[in-house]
Amino acid sequence: MKKFTICLFSASLLLLMACHRPASDNKIDLSVPWKFHSGDDPAWIAASFDDSKWELINPTDIWEHQGYKNLDGFAWYRIRVAIPKRLINDAFIKDSLQIRLGRIDDYDQVFLNDELIGENGKTIPQKTEARPDFFKGQSQWDTERRYILAANDPRIHWDQENVIAVRAYDQGGAGGMFSKPFEISMADLPDHIKFDFNQSGFKFDGDTLISKQFAISNISLKEDFRGKLTIKAIRCDNGNQLFREETLLDMAPNISTVFTVNIKKDLSVPAIIYFTFRENASGKEVRESLEMPYILTPKPCKSPRINGAKVFGIRPWSPFLYKVAATGQPPLTYSAESLPEGLHLRAGDGLITGYISKKGEYKVRLKVTNSFGAAERDFTIKCGDLISLTPPMGWNSWNVWGLSVSDKKVRQAGEAFISSGLINHGWTYINIDDGWEDTHDKNGNIIPNSKFPDMKTMCTYIHSLGLKVGIYSSPGPKTCGGYEGSYNFEEKDARNYADWGIDYLKYDWCSYGGIAPNPNENQLKAPYREMRKYIRKVNRDIHFSLCQYGMGDVWTWGNEVDGNSWRTTGDIEDSWESLSGIGFTQSKCSPFSAPGRWNDPDMLVVGWVGWGPKLHYTRLTPNEQYTHVTLWSLLAAPLLIGCDLTQLDAFTLSLLTNDEVLAINQDPLGKQAKKVSKNDEYQIWVRDLEDGSKAVGLFNLTENQLPVNVNLDDLLMKGKWMMRDVWPQTDLGLVQTHFEMSVPPHGTRLLVFRKP
Ligand code: GAL
């Protein structure tokens, strides 16, 4: 028997060696097919469990792409793998083994040889019972799954077969393992020495000096590392060195050191800071680089300029609230010709309020003056059935505060719209996401929790600033954050919202999955139809925002249930993977976008974010943030800022106040851009604009500066065009057949072409 077992073991070890690429670079590749089974059974933890009849699956892609289209909830992955001792022998630092499992959407528990070793990206350091509720709380879909075990951890079977069993739970939308790397290796110097750039933002001083705080940590619990840290900053345009500093570091285990670098640079110039830590004993290096923010948006002129939506939809007798957005040296004086009867404009701040009783299209001429001049613009009011004729622009609490949102934070966001000047660029909505609800009282009224002592007074306050208010609920009994939903209280909730003065409702599927577990298209529509019935009955216009992560291709029927916008994807996070994975796959939705009916690829992740209460500065590079705002503008997406507005820095503000970029987002034609050209390195998207011009986005998917050659034929553009560089707002001259343009890493160039 024993002999048999040994033979069996060596055979399976040989087999393993054949199906795994041999450990190269001291790594074992786990991006090979794993065994897969949907459902949940504790028996599947056991190394001895026979999974030979299970299906095979590629771990680097979500299960929906591999034949499991409607799978939500539990599924298991298993793999058998030999872990050779030579990994230790060949390693410079011999104390820990790391198992890297890409990312897992949304939650996971990982077992090695029958024992729990990790949960949702956190290593379980010693033998522990598996928690049954590991899949509660905020989704962990974008957390790196890196589990680190001490080399002498008895759960590792060195030079033997090991079984890794992963229990995954998907709460909806995309599910399961995805991304990279999938591998086993010893934790090396870069796994112990970590830079953290996101606990503080860049600080701006006037137009030149930028300072940045960062931390370098030794996260090893045993090893002491000594070496030299070199920091240098290089301009991207001419390669000149802006800054260089060297420091000797002696880093004891589990120690973090904070540095501040002060780098003088013209704010419009792209530059990169390079960090190198060279360890004395091994000569090994850990390198990181950090893009510095660069500002392309010109400062507003002193003379007036009118911004914001050129067309506005309202239903008869609904309260009208529109703030004429304008920049220019204060004080500005506002006026309007041909305002329909029932509307009034406040000369001091351009706030238009009142009611329109009659359906119709009203052409208004807006005028703003100051001591430097005057600006005029046409403004069309369409009083009829359709609202949100341009994508909503505003703020939402989720990406910053998560469930810790409060009355105070909402008021502060509204106030920051005024003090930062965002309101002068068309930013309007202040939206409360999940976390405000308590319960329904005995009369069926929804009662806010103690963080929102008086919702009506708060809404009146936000309105008094010239802004609108949004709220959040779920058609299910509970919201995604576990708060009270609207199930069976839809009519009462809609009335309560209207009574408070709500202008926007985000209605999030969440626990409705328990009521319609495997919904067909009708069942997907049903809860939205139901709520729509009641919000249409109240005496104010409420933007109806469907949130169900794109299920059943919602973009093909969102308008049928009277949605004004619908989320086309799962939740966004502040990583390139998340941003590009969402943004560049929106072409399929393009034909379905129209005025009042917008595809919503989720909110902006710029500035200080964190899903609350602890915040960090966005992990997107400045170029990625340019890509984010550019692409969302081309996609005619709702623009909902998801950051702490009380900590807006000059760069973030510049991203959100470029009126030519925002004008593309707000273009009245309401056509979403289409992807016209793509390869592994770049994509080109084109959006038709109302005046016959075209907005074109070039996007570089690589990590290097890239020359992109564009043939106008490929953009279906004939003849001569005037080309404008939108971010810096400069003309680039005439183009005919083709042009070439250099695009920064993960960055963009946004162009508008007009007929000469
Ligand atoms: C998610 C939704 C997020 C946020 C969250 C609140 O389902 O996609 O945007 O609203 O729920 O719990």
Side-chain angles (χ1 to χ4, degrees), residues 311-361:
V311 54
F312 186 78
I314 182 91
R315 300 196 181 106
W317 293 112
S318 291
F320 195 101
L321 185 85
Y322 178 88
K323 158 88 175 81
V324 179
T327 50
Q329 176 86 29
L332 298 174
T333 305
Y334 299 76
S335 61
E337 270 171 35
S338 319
L339 259 195
E341 204 186 314
L343 295 188
H344 312 278
L345 179 142
R346 226 158 50 188
D349 63 1
L351 193 66
I352 308 178
T353 52
Y355 297 87
I356 306 181
S357 58
K358 263 199 238 121
K359 285 193 173 178
E361 193 167 311

Coordinates of all heavy atoms in Angstrom, one line a residue, residues 311-361:
V311 N -29.0 72.6 -23.4 CA -30.4 72.2 -23.5 C -30.8 71.6 -22.2 O -30.0 70.9 -21.5 CB -30.5 71.3 -24.7 CG1 -29.6 70.1 -24.6 CG2 -31.9 70.8 -24.9
F312 N -32.1 71.9 -21.8 CA -32.5 71.4 -20.5 C -33.9 70.9 -20.6 O -34.8 71.6 -21.2 CB -32.5 72.7 -19.6 CG -32.8 72.3 -18.1 CD1 -31.9 71.7 -17.3 CD2 -34.0 72.7 -17.6 CE1 -32.2 71.4 -16.0 CE2 -34.3 72.4 -16.3 CZ -33.4 71.8 -15.5
G313 N -34.2 69.7 -20.1 CA -35.6 69.2 -20.2 C -36.3 69.3 -18.9 O -35.7 69.1 -17.8
I314 N -37.6 69.6 -18.9 CA -38.4 69.8 -17.7 C -39.8 69.3 -18.1 O -40.2 69.4 -19.2 CB -38.4 71.2 -17.3 CG1 -39.2 71.5 -16.0 CG2 -38.9 72.2 -18.4 CD1 -38.3 71.4 -14.8
R315 N -40.5 68.8 -17.1 CA -41.9 68.4 -17.3 C -42.8 69.6 -16.8 O -42.4 70.3 -15.9 CB -42.3 67.1 -16.6 CG -41.4 65.9 -17.0 CD -41.9 64.6 -16.6 NE -41.0 63.6 -17.1 CZ -40.1 62.9 -16.3 NH1 -40.1 63.1 -15.0 NH2 -39.3 62.0 -16.8
P316 N -44.0 69.7 -17.4 CA -44.8 70.8 -17.0 C -45.1 70.8 -15.5 O -45.4 69.7 -15.0 CB -46.1 70.6 -17.8 CG -45.8 69.7 -18.9 CD -44.6 68.9 -18.5
W317 N -45.1 71.9 -14.9 CA -45.3 72.1 -13.5 C -44.3 71.5 -12.5 O -44.5 71.6 -11.3 CB -46.7 71.6 -13.1 CG -47.8 72.4 -13.7 CD1 -48.7 71.9 -14.7 CD2 -48.1 73.8 -13.5 NE1 -49.5 72.9 -15.1 CE2 -49.2 74.1 -14.4 CE3 -47.6 74.8 -12.7 CZ2 -49.8 75.3 -14.4 CZ3 -48.2 76.0 -12.7 CH2 -49.3 76.3 -13.6
S318 N -43.2 71.0 -13.0 CA -42.2 70.5 -12.1 C -41.3 71.7 -11.7 O -41.1 72.6 -12.5 CB -41.3 69.5 -12.8 OG -41.9 68.3 -13.1
P319 N -40.8 71.7 -10.5 CA -40.0 72.8 -10.1 C -38.8 72.9 -10.9 O -38.1 71.9 -11.2 CB -39.6 72.5 -8.6 CG -40.3 71.3 -8.3 CD -41.0 70.7 -9.4
F320 N -38.5 74.1 -11.4 CA -37.4 74.4 -12.3 C -36.2 74.9 -11.5 O -36.3 75.7 -10.7 CB -37.8 75.5 -13.3 CG -36.9 75.6 -14.5 CD1 -37.3 75.1 -15.8 CD2 -35.7 76.3 -14.5 CE1 -36.5 75.2 -16.9 CE2 -34.9 76.4 -15.6 CZ -35.3 75.8 -16.8
L321 N -35.0 74.3 -11.7 CA -33.8 74.7 -11.0 C -32.7 74.5 -12.0 O -32.3 73.4 -12.3 CB -33.6 73.9 -9.7 CG -32.4 74.4 -8.9 CD1 -32.9 75.5 -8.0 CD2 -31.9 73.3 -8.0
Y322 N -32.2 75.6 -12.5 CA -31.0 75.6 -13.4 C -30.1 76.8 -13.1 O -30.6 77.9 -13.0 CB -31.5 75.7 -14.8 CG -30.3 75.6 -15.8 CD1 -29.8 74.4 -16.3 CD2 -29.8 76.8 -16.3 CE1 -28.8 74.4 -17.2 CE2 -28.7 76.8 -17.2 CZ -28.2 75.6 -17.6 OH -27.2 75.6 -18.5
K323 N -28.9 76.5 -12.8 CA -27.9 77.5 -12.5 C -27.1 77.8 -13.8 O -26.5 76.9 -14.3 CB -27.0 77.1 -11.4 CG -25.7 77.7 -11.3 CD -25.8 79.0 -10.4 CE -24.4 79.6 -10.2 NZ -23.9 80.5 -11.3
V324 N -27.2 79.0 -14.3 CA -26.4 79.4 -15.4 C -24.9 79.3 -15.0 O -24.5 80.0 -14.0 CB -26.7 80.8 -15.9 CG1 -25.8 81.2 -17.1 CG2 -28.2 80.9 -16.3
A325 N -24.2 78.4 -15.6 CA -22.8 78.2 -15.2 C -21.9 79.2 -16.0 O -22.0 79.2 -17.2 CB -22.3 76.8 -15.5
A326 N -21.1 80.0 -15.3 CA -20.3 80.9 -16.0 C -19.0 81.2 -15.2 O -19.0 81.3 -14.0 CB -21.0 82.2 -16.3
T327 N -17.9 81.4 -16.0 CA -16.7 81.9 -15.3 C -16.4 83.3 -15.7 O -17.0 83.8 -16.7 CB -15.5 81.0 -15.8 OG1 -15.5 80.9 -17.2 CG2 -15.6 79.6 -15.2
G328 N -15.4 83.9 -15.1 CA -15.1 85.3 -15.3 C -14.8 86.0 -14.0 O -15.3 85.5 -12.9
Q329 N -14.1 87.1 -14.0 CA -13.8 87.8 -12.8 C -15.1 88.3 -12.1 O -15.9 89.0 -12.8 CB -13.0 89.0 -13.2 CG -12.6 90.0 -12.1 CD -11.4 89.5 -11.4 OE1 -10.5 88.8 -11.9 NE2 -11.3 89.8 -10.1
P330 N -15.4 87.9 -10.9 CA -16.6 88.4 -10.2 C -16.5 90.0 -10.0 O -15.4 90.5 -10.0 CB -16.6 87.7 -8.9 CG -15.4 86.8 -8.9 CD -14.5 87.1 -10.1
P331 N -17.6 90.6 -9.8 CA -18.9 90.1 -9.8 C -19.5 90.0 -11.3 O -19.2 90.8 -12.1 CB -19.7 91.2 -9.1 CG -18.9 92.5 -9.3 CD -17.5 92.1 -9.5
L332 N -20.2 88.9 -11.5 CA -20.9 88.6 -12.8 C -22.3 89.0 -12.6 O -23.0 88.8 -11.6 CB -20.8 87.2 -13.1 CG -19.4 86.6 -13.3 CD1 -19.5 85.1 -13.5 CD2 -18.6 87.2 -14.5
T333 N -22.9 89.5 -13.7 CA -24.3 89.8 -13.7 C -25.0 89.0 -14.8 O -24.5 88.9 -16.0 CB -24.5 91.3 -14.0 OG1 -23.8 92.1 -13.1 CG2 -26.0 91.7 -13.9
Y334 N -26.1 88.4 -14.4 CA -26.7 87.4 -15.3 C -28.0 88.0 -15.8 O -28.8 88.6 -15.1 CB -27.0 86.1 -14.6 CG -25.8 85.4 -14.1 CD1 -25.1 85.8 -12.9 CD2 -25.3 84.2 -14.7 CE1 -24.0 85.2 -12.4 CE2 -24.2 83.6 -14.2 CZ -23.6 84.0 -13.0 OH -22.5 83.4 -12.5
S335 N -28.4 87.7 -17.1 CA -29.7 88.0 -17.6 C -30.1 87.0 -18.7 O -29.3 86.3 -19.2 CB -29.7 89.5 -18.1 OG -28.8 89.5 -19.2
A336 N -31.4 87.1 -19.0 CA -31.9 86.2 -20.1 C -33.0 86.8 -20.9 O -33.8 87.5 -20.3 CB -32.4 84.9 -19.4
E337 N -32.9 86.6 -22.2 CA -34.0 87.1 -23.0 C -34.9 85.9 -23.4 O -34.4 84.8 -23.5 CB -33.5 87.6 -24.3 CG -33.1 89.1 -24.3 CD -32.3 89.4 -25.6 OE1 -32.6 88.9 -26.7 OE2 -31.4 90.3 -25.5
S338 N -36.2 86.2 -23.5 CA -37.2 85.2 -23.9 C -37.4 84.1 -22.9 O -37.6 82.9 -23.3 CB -36.9 84.7 -25.3 OG -36.5 85.6 -26.2
L339 N -37.2 84.3 -21.6 CA -37.5 83.2 -20.6 C -38.9 82.9 -20.7 O -39.8 83.9 -20.7 CB -37.1 83.7 -19.2 CG -35.8 83.3 -18.5 CD1 -35.9 83.6 -17.1 CD2 -35.5 81.8 -18.7
P340 N -39.3 81.6 -20.7 CA -40.8 81.4 -20.7 C -41.5 81.9 -19.5 O -40.8 82.0 -18.4 CB -40.8 79.8 -20.9 CG -39.5 79.3 -20.6 CD -38.5 80.4 -20.8
E341 N -42.7 82.1 -19.6 CA -43.5 82.6 -18.5 C -43.4 81.7 -17.3 O -43.5 80.4 -17.5 CB -45.0 82.7 -19.0 CG -45.8 83.7 -18.2 CD -47.2 83.6 -18.7 OE1 -47.5 83.6 -19.9 OE2 -48.1 83.5 -17.8
G342 N -43.3 82.2 -16.2 CA -43.3 81.3 -15.0 C -41.9 81.1 -14.5 O -41.6 80.6 -13.4
L343 N -40.8 81.5 -15.3 CA -39.5 81.3 -14.8 C -38.8 82.7 -14.5 O -39.2 83.7 -15.1 CB -38.6 80.7 -15.9 CG -39.0 79.2 -16.3 CD1 -37.9 78.7 -17.2 CD2 -39.1 78.3 -15.1
H344 N -37.9 82.6 -13.5 CA -37.3 83.9 -13.1 C -35.8 83.6 -13.0 O -35.4 82.5 -12.5 CB -37.8 84.3 -11.7 CG -39.2 84.3 -11.6 ND1 -40.0 85.3 -12.0 CD2 -40.1 83.3 -11.1 CE1 -41.3 85.0 -11.9 NE2 -41.3 83.8 -11.3
L345 N -35.0 84.6 -13.4 CA -33.6 84.4 -13.3 C -33.0 85.4 -12.2 O -33.4 86.6 -12.3 CB -32.9 84.7 -14.6 CG -31.4 84.6 -14.7 CD1 -31.0 84.0 -16.0 CD2 -30.7 86.0 -14.5
R346 N -32.2 85.0 -11.3 CA -31.6 85.9 -10.3 C -30.4 86.5 -10.9 O -29.4 85.8 -11.3 CB -31.3 85.0 -9.1 CG -31.7 85.7 -7.8 CD -31.9 84.7 -6.6 NE -30.7 83.9 -6.4 CZ -30.8 82.9 -5.5 NH1 -31.9 82.7 -4.8 NH2 -29.8 82.1 -5.3
A347 N -30.4 87.8 -11.0 CA -29.3 88.5 -11.7 C -27.9 88.3 -11.0 O -26.9 88.3 -11.7 CB -29.6 90.0 -11.8
G348 N -28.0 88.1 -9.7 CA -26.7 88.1 -8.9 C -26.0 86.7 -9.1 O -24.7 86.7 -9.0
D349 N -26.7 85.6 -9.3 CA -26.0 84.3 -9.5 C -26.5 83.4 -10.6 O -26.0 82.3 -10.7 CB -26.0 83.6 -8.1 CG -27.4 83.2 -7.7 OD1 -28.4 83.5 -8.5 OD2 -27.6 82.6 -6.7
G350 N -27.4 83.9 -11.4 CA -27.8 83.2 -12.6 C -28.7 81.9 -12.3 O -28.7 81.0 -13.1
L351 N -29.3 82.0 -11.1 CA -30.2 80.8 -10.8 C -31.6 81.0 -11.4 O -32.2 82.0 -11.1 CB -30.3 80.7 -9.2 CG -30.9 79.4 -8.8 CD1 -29.9 78.2 -9.1 CD2 -31.1 79.4 -7.3
I352 N -32.0 80.1 -12.2 CA -33.3 80.2 -12.8 C -34.3 79.2 -12.1 O -34.0 78.0 -11.9 CB -33.3 79.8 -14.3 CG1 -32.2 80.6 -15.1 CG2 -34.7 80.0 -14.9 CD1 -32.1 80.2 -16.5
T353 N -35.4 79.7 -11.6 CA -36.3 78.9 -10.8 C -37.7 79.2 -11.3 O -37.9 80.2 -12.1 CB -36.3 79.2 -9.3 OG1 -36.4 80.6 -9.1 CG2 -35.0 78.7 -8.7
G354 N -38.7 78.4 -10.9 CA -40.1 78.7 -11.2 C -40.7 77.4 -11.8 O -40.3 76.3 -11.5
Y355 N -41.8 77.6 -12.6 CA -42.5 76.5 -13.2 C -42.8 76.9 -14.7 O -43.0 78.0 -15.0 CB -43.8 76.2 -12.5 CG -43.7 75.8 -11.1 CD1 -43.6 76.8 -10.1 CD2 -43.6 74.5 -10.7 CE1 -43.4 76.5 -8.8 CE2 -43.4 74.1 -9.4 CZ -43.3 75.1 -8.4 OH -43.1 74.7 -7.1
I356 N -42.9 75.8 -15.5 CA -43.5 76.1 -16.9 C -44.7 75.3 -17.0 O -44.7 74.1 -16.6 CB -42.5 75.7 -18.0 CG1 -41.1 76.3 -17.8 CG2 -43.1 76.0 -19.4 CD1 -40.1 76.0 -18.9
S357 N -45.8 75.9 -17.4 CA -47.1 75.2 -17.4 C -47.3 74.5 -18.7 O -48.0 73.5 -18.8 CB -48.2 76.1 -17.1 OG -48.2 77.2 -18.0
K358 N -46.7 75.1 -19.8 CA -47.1 74.5 -21.1 C -45.9 73.8 -21.8 O -44.8 74.3 -21.8 CB -47.5 75.7 -22.0 CG -49.0 75.9 -22.1 CD -49.3 76.8 -23.3 CE -50.1 78.0 -22.8 NZ -49.5 79.3 -23.2
K359 N -46.3 72.7 -22.4 CA -45.2 71.9 -23.1 C -44.8 72.8 -24.3 O -45.5 73.6 -24.8 CB -45.8 70.6 -23.7 CG -46.1 69.6 -22.6 CD -46.4 68.2 -23.3 CE -46.4 67.2 -22.2 NZ -46.7 65.8 -22.6
G360 N -43.6 72.6 -24.7 CA -43.1 73.3 -25.9 C -41.6 73.5 -25.8 O -40.9 73.1 -24.8
E361 N -41.0 74.0 -26.9 CA -39.6 74.3 -26.9 C -39.3 75.8 -26.8 O -39.9 76.5 -27.6 CB -39.0 73.7 -28.2 CG -37.5 73.6 -28.2 CD -37.0 72.8 -29.4 OE1 -37.5 71.6 -29.6 OE2 -36.1 73.3 -30.1

